[in-house]
Amino acid sequence: MMGRGILLFLLVRLFQFLVVEAATDPQESAVLRSLKTQLQNIPPNWVGSDPCSEGWEGIVCTDTRVISIQLSTMGLKGQLSGDIGSLSELQSLDLSYNPGLTGPLPPSIGNLKKLTNLILVGCGFSGPIPSEIGYLPRLVFLSLNSNRFNGNIPPTIGSLSSLYWLDLADNQLSGSIPVSSGNIPGLDMLTHTKHFHFGKNQLTGTIPAQLFSANMNLIHVLFEDNQLTGSIPATLGLVKTLEVVRLDRNLLSGNVPTNLNKLISVIELHLSNNDLVGPFPDLSGMLVLNSVDLSNNSFSVSDFPPYFSTLMSLTTLEAENTNLKGLLPPALFTLPQLQTLNLKTNLFNGSLDIGSDFSDQLELVDLQNNSITGYIERGGYPNELRLMGNPVCGGSATAKFCQLAVHSSPPYSTPPNTCVPSLCPNGQNSSPNCQCSFPYSGTLFFRAPSFSDLGNASYYTSLQSSLQASFTTNKVPVDSVSLSNPSKDADDYLEVSLQVFPAGKQSFSRSDIAKMGFMLSNQTFKPPKSFGPFFFIASQYAHFSESDSTGGSKKMSLGIIVGASVGGFILLMLIFVGVYLFCRKRVKTATERRNVSEPRHSGATSWDPTKSSDSFPQLKGPKVFSSNELRKATNNFSEANDIGSGGYGKASLFHFLKNFMLGEPSQFLCLLGVYRGTLASGQLVAIKRSQPGSSQGHNEFTTEVELLSRVHHKNLVGLVGFCFEDKEQMLVYEFVPNGTLKGSLTGKSGIRLDWNRRLRVALGAAKGLSYLHDLANPPIIHRDIKTNNILLDERLNAKVADFGLSKPMGDSEDGQIVTQVKGTMGYLDPEYYMSNQLNAKSDVYSFGVVLLELLTARVPLEKGRYIVREVRVAMDRQKDRYGLNELLDSALGLTNPLKGLEQFVDLAMRCVEETGDERPTMSEVVKEIERIMQMAGMNTNSDSASLDATSTRSSPHPYNNNVASFDYSGAYTPPHPY
Ligand SMILES: *[C@@H]1O[C@H](CO)[C@@H](O)[C@H](O)[C@H]1NC(C)=O
Ligand SMILES: *[C@@H]1O[C@H](CO)[C@@H](O)[C@H](O)[C@H]1NC(C)=O
Ligand SMILES: *[C@@H]1O[C@H](CO)[C@@H](O)[C@H](O)[C@H]1NC(C)=O
């Protein structure tokens, strides 16, 4: 006794140690808890004091330290306090798209020495950018855009030697662009940085020549929409890596440096809306240029430069109001990708000749306000041409090109996927797959797309599929992505509305949203190249679903998982010991009680169910065995005869835990084992042996005896007899040699089920259930249909087993009974689970899950993956095999034709509909499987017709029939002896 006490004590201490070991660092826990009190709309699962092991949403830890905070689009409100600077292991902070986060950014941010990603895009921060931000030596990604920061760009940013992404755009920053001088750092030192995004601020001063050098690796220089003055520094021409240059919408003056055309990788060049002078820029040799905008500058009058006709990648040429004169060369129109030509307000004269070999992508030729006197209509250019304000439109000209076209076609919007859009309840939208749900939405801003034909759907479909693919890769449950209303805004950004719809549910969880927000804010998502640099601003999401199992738990660190597993294992052992002691004690007390108070029962008293009794109805049929008979049949319950797992489950501990969870710990508590035995008659049987003594165990025992004695069907496991004595409580079943369906599907039993066999198994099990529902009197609900409870006989006929949880429906009029929820997770009817209303449709649901298991051979509920949801999400009725190939059991031979597969899937999905009313009855299921088998060219009758007749005949008074009259087909079952 003493020894066990010490052992227990040690185990408990070990357990505590492991749990304490996994807890969050107390200081960091305090920081997060203070964050919680300072900010509104923190995720509701931020409770307790151990963020790391309790899986607080948006918090990622290693061991005990917080390394990442991801709270994009949470609707956070309030000011960020300086406490945040104490999370000294923090690597990534994403608070993007929380416009309610206001006030200054605390300077203590500079204490986060491990920070690599600081993402605050789309918040409401104001005040200066703290210069301490330059003390983050590991910072790679800095996104402060679309806030209300003001003041200067801190020169210390120049110290961020690892910086890759610098986005300060869309703020109220003023002053000049800092460059280094003496000990003072500057942005010219950022030789690793690829992105300078400073657009939409109030920056003044010149663009320092020092800013650029041949050492730089910039690919995007975006300075648009500021108040920069002076001339474009010639040093820009040294940055050979550049791909996108936007200096438009400033006050730049002077000549365009002549070496600009050395930037041969540039695809987007915007110099428009400045005061640039001198010769029209020479862009010859910039062969990958897609889009050029030089409009609204004061270049000296010049002829249209012939080099444009050699820029074969050009999609868009804008040179409005740039003093171009003379004839427009017809060769320009032959550029194969040309979409838009904006040459308004120039000095072109003569007759316009578009030629007959013009680009088939050409959508708009805008030559308003020139001096064009004629139009040579040669090749029948069909799209928009604007010549208003030219002599050719003078007087009473009525030509089409003299009037502004009225655009009637609505802007692009993702069309429905060959389905009829649903009328959705308030606030929900119909997805492209016509499912109603609450989408995650916002606007994508493309700062320099390489195309200008906004009506061309192919751009959006490729954007759409790249978004969808990216969400899928990152394991966000996305049904579909919808894009709409593309338009150019005042900054010449392409704006596109985005809606992302959740898969298999009405709304996204917080962790889904935070993940999608991060994918877009951290630029994990990369749009197709033609869309160029982008940013996203999310709308607020007001319909978070309750967090699902993919939430916080996944973010547990390895240490915690190991700790929890070891702890869980120890707990399990303790329970096991407890169960053992409990059983022993109960057996003892039960025996003692009987010995004392019921002396006439002492000894090997047997209970005879054929005599009338309180607890049993009068029964005929099953034989009453003495424990001695069964002892002999099993060679004294020898281990060699212990078949444990074969359908009744040696898994008593598992059963115990299951029933413990379901609030019924005594069920199966004291199951001793399942044995194979040979009766004196030679019949093979399976004997389920449990400890007597508990009243609930007794109830279950009587239930099973009673039910099984009344039902007889080839697809139900038959009860041969039972034993009920003081010390023994046993059920004797017909022996079903091929184990459980689960064993076959998992490959454990060595039986391979091809498609036809699976159909046959499904049919058999369905018939057994249909018999219970429709022909048994009173009808019976099984309540625990699962692949573990479907056995396969020697001919692989299915037999439904384990009636321990079954309920007769006799005493209810409407076929509904209210009862405590029992059954097995993964198979449980959600409606029954929520309402406690049990009816036959709950079995149909479980059966639907079994059908899905037949298809996929997957565990119904595993690691938060639920088979019903998986199939529902993956399934696409437009595709061959409904696109389910990846989910299908590979043992089915995926190259084989699986005839009737689609109908089988349809049937399974109808069985697992949300509400019972939508599910078929078991007899309808039987008919449908028969129809599918006929389609597959199989015979549905040969094996079962006579037996069906038998079972039907037996239904009115099944227990009046002699069991011996039923057919126990198969080699193992000699003529029934009873
Ligand atoms: C050029 O300036 C005019 C007048 O300010 C403006 O309407 C037009 O949009 C500008 N063109 C471009 C291409 O920016
Ligand atoms: C176009 O204008 C130029 C002067 O800018 C003139 O020399 C030329 O003759 C004109 N061409 C035509 C066809 O009117
Ligand atoms: C975030 O972005 C950076 C820079 O693009 C990248 O290196 C990093 O892998 C991204 N992080 C995640 C988790 O995608």
Side-chain angles (χ1 to χ4, degrees):
M1 210 52 208
M2 205 44 201
R4 190 157 53 204
I6 288 167
L7 180 67
L8 270 180
F9 173 78
L10 286 176
L11 286 176
V12 168
R13 285 316 298 248
L14 180 59
F15 187 65
Q16 283 173 346
F17 168 75
L18 286 163
V19 168
V20 170
E21 174 54 24
T24 314
D25 177 275
Q27 195 195 345
E28 307 215 329
S29 164
V31 171
L32 292 181
R33 279 178 285 140
S34 90
L35 214 59
K36 183 178 139 187
T37 61
Q38 290 151 10
L39 301 179
Q40 293 172 42
N41 299 333
I42 283 285
N45 86 338
W46 284 36
V47 289
S49 59
D50 190 358
C52 290
S53 45
E54 285 162 357
W56 285 15
E57 263 162 339
I59 303 298
V60 183
C61 303
T62 50
D63 298 329
T64 63
R65 311 296 298 273
V66 177
I67 56 159
S68 171
I69 298 181
Q70 288 188 11
L71 293 171
S72 180
T73 335
M74 288 292 115
L76 299 181
K77 287 202 176 106
Q79 296 202 7
L80 198 61
S81 87
D83 291 353
I84 191 96
S86 308
L87 299 174
S88 56
E89 292 290 316
L90 196 64
Q91 293 167 20
S92 177
L93 177 59
D94 178 12
L95 300 174
S96 58
Y97 318 136
N98 287 296
L101 280 182
T102 54
L105 185 62
S108 68
I109 207 95
N111 298 340
L112 302 175
K113 299 293 180 227
K114 302 265 176 84
L115 203 63
T116 58
N117 293 45
L118 177 57
I119 309 177
L120 305 176
V121 49
C123 294
F125 288 104
S126 56
I129 297 173
S131 62
E132 287 78 359
I133 217 161
Y135 307 161
L136 302 172
R138 301 202 182 167
L139 202 64
V140 171
F141 193 93
L142 178 58
S143 160
L144 304 179
N145 46 314
S146 299
N147 278 278
R148 293 196 295 273
F149 287 112
N150 54 30
N152 295 348
I153 298 177
T156 52
I157 287 184
S159 314
L160 299 173
S161 57
S162 308
L163 200 64
Y164 166 88
W165 183 279
L166 176 57
D167 199 333
L168 307 175
D170 194 13
N171 279 295
Q172 292 153 21
L173 298 173
S174 54
S176 56
I177 298 172
V179 286
S180 62
S181 122
N183 291 333
I184 304 166
L187 304 193
D188 53 310
M189 294 160 64
L190 296 176
T191 50
H192 287 108
T193 309
K194 299 255 184 190
H195 298 265
F196 276 179
H197 297 181
F198 305 164
K200 289 196 85 165
N201 277 296
Q202 290 145 30
L203 298 174
T204 53
T206 58
I207 301 175
Q210 195 188 329
L211 185 58
F212 302 113
S213 69
N215 295 330
M216 298 296 264
N217 284 289
L218 288 163
I219 58 173
H220 295 170
V221 167
L222 305 178
F223 292 176
E224 74 280 2
D225 204 354
N226 277 290
Q227 289 150 33
L228 298 169
T229 51
S231 53
I232 300 171
T235 50
L236 185 65
L238 302 173
V239 189
K240 295 287 178 350
T241 44
L242 277 172
E243 293 175 12
V244 178
V245 177
R246 280 197 65 169
L247 305 178
D248 52 300
R249 295 166 170 81
N250 276 290
L251 304 168
L252 298 172
S253 55
N255 291 8
V256 174
T258 52
N259 66 350
L260 203 62
N261 66 358
K262 299 289 185 293
L263 299 177
I264 54 171
S265 300
V266 168
I267 52 180
E268 304 286 322
L269 178 64
H270 295 244
L271 303 178
S272 61
N273 300 298
N274 279 296
D275 296 323
L276 298 170
V277 296
F280 192 90
D282 175 9
L283 309 179
S284 61
M286 297 176 76
L287 293 178
V288 295
L289 260 186
N290 287 136
S291 182
V292 190
D293 189 355
L294 302 170
S295 303
N296 292 328
N297 280 298
S298 310
F299 303 122
S300 33
V301 175
S302 67
D303 283 322
F304 186 80
Y307 67 78
F308 274 117
S309 309
T310 66
L311 303 180
M312 301 306 277
S313 305
L314 214 57
T315 66
T316 310
L317 170 57
E318 298 195 73
E320 172 183 353
N321 187 21
T322 51
N323 287 326
L324 291 171
K325 71 171 172 65
L327 277 175
L328 206 53
L332 180 63
F333 300 96
T334 66
L335 290 174
Q337 317 214 25
L338 195 65
Q339 296 172 347
T340 302
L341 204 53
N342 171 11
L343 298 172
K344 275 193 283 193
T345 320
N346 278 296
L347 309 164
F348 292 112
N349 64 2
S351 285
L352 175 67
D353 184 1
I354 293 181
S356 53
D357 200 14
F358 53 84
S359 156
D360 58 6
Q361 297 194 37
L362 196 58
E363 285 290 323
L364 173 64
V365 178
D366 194 340
L367 284 165
Q368 293 179 72
N369 304 325
N370 278 285
S371 305
I372 292 167
T373 51
Y375 174 47
I376 304 166
E377 205 161 355
R378 208 191 290 273
Y381 166 70
N383 295 324
E384 198 170 351
L385 169 65
R386 296 181 191 160
L387 291 176
M388 295 77 86
N390 282 282
V392 65
C393 287
S396 58
T398 55
K400 199 173 115 204
F401 50 74
C402 294
Q403 286 143 33
L404 208 55
V406 185
H407 283 281
S408 54
S409 61
Y412 177 85
S413 178
T414 301
N417 251 329
T418 59
C419 55
V420 181
S422 311
L423 269 179
C424 294
N426 226 355
Q428 298 191 28
N429 287 345
S430 181
S431 79
N433 293 328
C434 304
Q435 304 290 320
C436 289
S437 57
F438 294 106
Y440 179 53
S441 50
T443 306
L444 290 161
F445 294 83
F446 298 99
R447 284 163 163 155
S450 69
F451 61 92
S452 49
D453 176 7
L454 303 191
N456 187 336
S458 67
Y459 293 110
Y460 309 111
T461 47
S462 76
L463 176 59
Q464 212 168 286
S465 48
S466 70
L467 279 159
Q468 176 97 39
S470 183
F471 290 129
T472 308
T473 313
N474 285 280
K475 307 210 163 50
V476 187
V478 165
D479 167 83
S480 48
V481 170
S482 164
L483 298 171
S484 57
N485 289 322
S487 66
K488 283 280 182 86
D489 64 17
D491 291 294
D492 211 18
Y493 300 154
L494 169 62
E495 295 187 14
V496 181
S497 302
L498 168 69
Q499 290 190 316
V500 186
F501 292 87
K505 48 185 181 179
Q506 259 165 18
S507 51
F508 286 111
S509 68
R510 279 189 171 71
S511 38
D512 296 336
I513 293 287
K515 205 191 258 183
M516 286 189 283
F518 179 72
M519 285 175 60
L520 292 159
S521 68
N522 186 52
Q523 306 274 325
T524 313
F525 164 69
K526 304 243 180 319
K529 187 121 184 154
S530 51
F531 282 88
F534 83 101
F535 66 101
F536 175 70
I537 298 292
S539 311
Q540 293 310 292
Y541 197 71
H543 302 96
F544 298 108
S545 65
E546 283 317 303
S547 100
D548 53 30
S549 52
T550 62
S553 60
K554 241 169 100 180
K555 294 177 181 151
M556 284 199 291
S557 71
L558 188 66
I560 293 162
I561 291 168
V562 170
S565 323
V566 175
F569 179 72
I570 290 170
L571 189 65
L572 217 68
M573 299 228 331
L574 291 176
I575 290 174
F576 196 81
V577 169
V579 171
Y580 174 73
L581 295 176
F582 183 61
C583 274
R584 270 190 20 168
K585 186 157 162 252
R586 272 236 303 243
V587 172
K588 232 165 113 191
T589 48
T591 318
E592 276 163 8
R593 199 177 53 230
R594 276 165 193 255
N595 284 346
V596 173
S597 62
E598 300 169 88
R600 69 193 174 85
H601 281 291
S602 62
T605 317
S606 68
W607 168 76
D608 181 356
T610 58
K611 289 183 190 137
S612 189
S613 107
D614 288 346
S615 52
F616 277 96
Q618 197 157 353
L619 295 174
K620 278 178 192 161
K623 180 175 157 64
V624 183
F625 292 97
S626 75
S627 57
N628 277 339
E629 273 176 280
L630 296 181
R631 208 170 276 281
K632 258 185 221 156
T634 57
N635 198 9
N636 201 15
F637 301 112
S638 72
E639 248 175 63
N641 281 318
D642 191 337
I643 51 171
S645 56
Y648 311 98
K650 191 178 192 167
S652 53
L653 179 60
F654 169 75
H655 268 117
F656 167 73
L657 286 175
K658 176 187 98 182
N659 289 305
F660 186 77
M661 309 286 175
L662 295 173
E664 199 113 351
S666 63
Q667 240 167 38
F668 291 96
L669 184 56
C670 302
L671 178 67
L672 292 179
V674 180
Y675 299 86
R676 190 177 125 127
T678 314
L679 298 178
S681 62
Q683 185 187 3
L684 269 178
V685 291
I687 300 169
K688 182 162 134 190
R689 186 183 187 213
S690 49
Q691 288 281 9
S694 98
S695 64
Q696 270 161 310
H698 180 263
N699 283 344
E700 196 158 304
F701 185 82
T702 55
T703 304
E704 194 154 1
V705 171
E706 185 194 347
L707 292 179
L708 277 173
S709 322
R710 288 187 305 161
V711 299
H712 303 281
H713 188 274
K714 158 184 137 57
N715 295 113
L716 301 176
V717 170
L719 183 70
V720 177
F722 62 91
C723 164
F724 193 88
E725 292 176 6
D726 269 357
K727 291 175 191 164
E728 293 289 0
Q729 188 171 295
M730 289 182 270
L731 291 168
V732 181
Y733 304 90
E734 61 172 320
F735 185 72
V736 185
N738 276 324
T740 65
L741 174 55
K742 175 140 229 140
S744 298
L745 289 176
T746 54
K748 280 199 188 112
S749 68
I751 290 167
R752 210 183 68 80
L753 293 176
D754 63 14
W755 177 238
N756 287 0
R757 279 177 176 166
R758 286 182 205 213
L759 288 176
R760 223 174 260 294
V761 166
L763 180 66
K767 280 182 173 173
L769 262 183
S770 167
Y771 168 85
L772 288 179
H773 290 179
D774 302 329
L775 298 174
N777 183 19
I780 292 167
I781 297 174
H782 187 286
R783 280 217 290 178
D784 201 14
I785 290 297
K786 53 182 174 181
T787 47
N788 256 326
N789 281 340
I790 296 172
L791 308 184
L792 301 178
D793 73 6
E794 62 290 340
R795 288 204 253 157
L796 301 183
N797 288 314
K799 284 179 181 280
V800 177
D802 205 341
F803 291 68
L805 296 182
S806 300
K807 266 273 197 259
M809 300 294 291
D811 30 353
S812 94
E813 296 275 288
D814 57 352
Q816 299 260 0
I817 45 179
V818 180
T819 165
Q820 198 188 347
V821 175
K822 295 181 191 174
T824 304
M825 283 299 165
Y827 297 90
L828 258 189
D829 168 15
E831 199 180 32
Y832 166 45
Y833 184 75
M834 284 186 289
S835 68
N836 287 7
Q837 296 271 329
L838 178 69
N839 64 42
K841 294 296 182 67
S842 305
D843 277 352
V844 175
Y845 187 94
S846 309
F847 186 76
V849 177
V850 168
L851 294 182
L852 293 178
E853 233 178 310
L854 277 168
L855 284 166
T856 63
R858 287 180 190 215
V859 180
L861 186 62
E862 186 181 38
K863 299 189 193 109
R865 293 158 64 96
Y866 183 37
I867 192 171
V868 173
R869 191 171 51 208
E870 299 266 310
V871 173
R872 198 171 275 151
V873 169
M875 141 170 203
D876 177 353
R877 288 200 162 85
Q878 307 307 318
K879 292 194 182 147
D880 186 37
R881 293 185 177 179
Y882 287 174
L884 292 174
N885 264 340
E886 259 174 36
L887 282 174
L888 293 184
D889 181 8
S890 55
L892 278 171
L894 295 182
T895 52
N896 298 341
L898 306 179
K899 284 198 192 123
L901 178 97
E902 289 82 1
Q903 290 75 7
F904 193 89
V905 176
D906 284 332
L907 176 64
M909 295 318 282
R910 276 171 57 213
C911 289
V912 296
E913 284 287 356
E914 292 291 312
T915 61
D917 291 343
E918 295 171 279
R919 299 173 205 148
T921 62
M922 276 322 295
S923 61
E924 286 165 345
V925 172
V926 169
K927 284 199 196 100
E928 180 62 14
I929 299 176
E930 283 176 342
R931 200 179 65 85
I932 293 169
M933 288 170 69
Q934 276 153 12
M935 282 176 44
M938 296 167 64
N939 187 342
T940 56
N941 293 319
S942 63
D943 201 22
S944 49
S946 60
L947 294 159
D948 281 351
T950 313
S951 50
T952 309
R953 196 173 59 235
S954 70
S955 58
H957 301 287
Y959 39 84
N960 289 339
N961 284 308
N962 189 327
V963 181
S965 67
F966 296 102
D967 178 9
Y968 289 82
S969 57
Y972 286 100
T973 7
H976 205 283
Y978 310 107

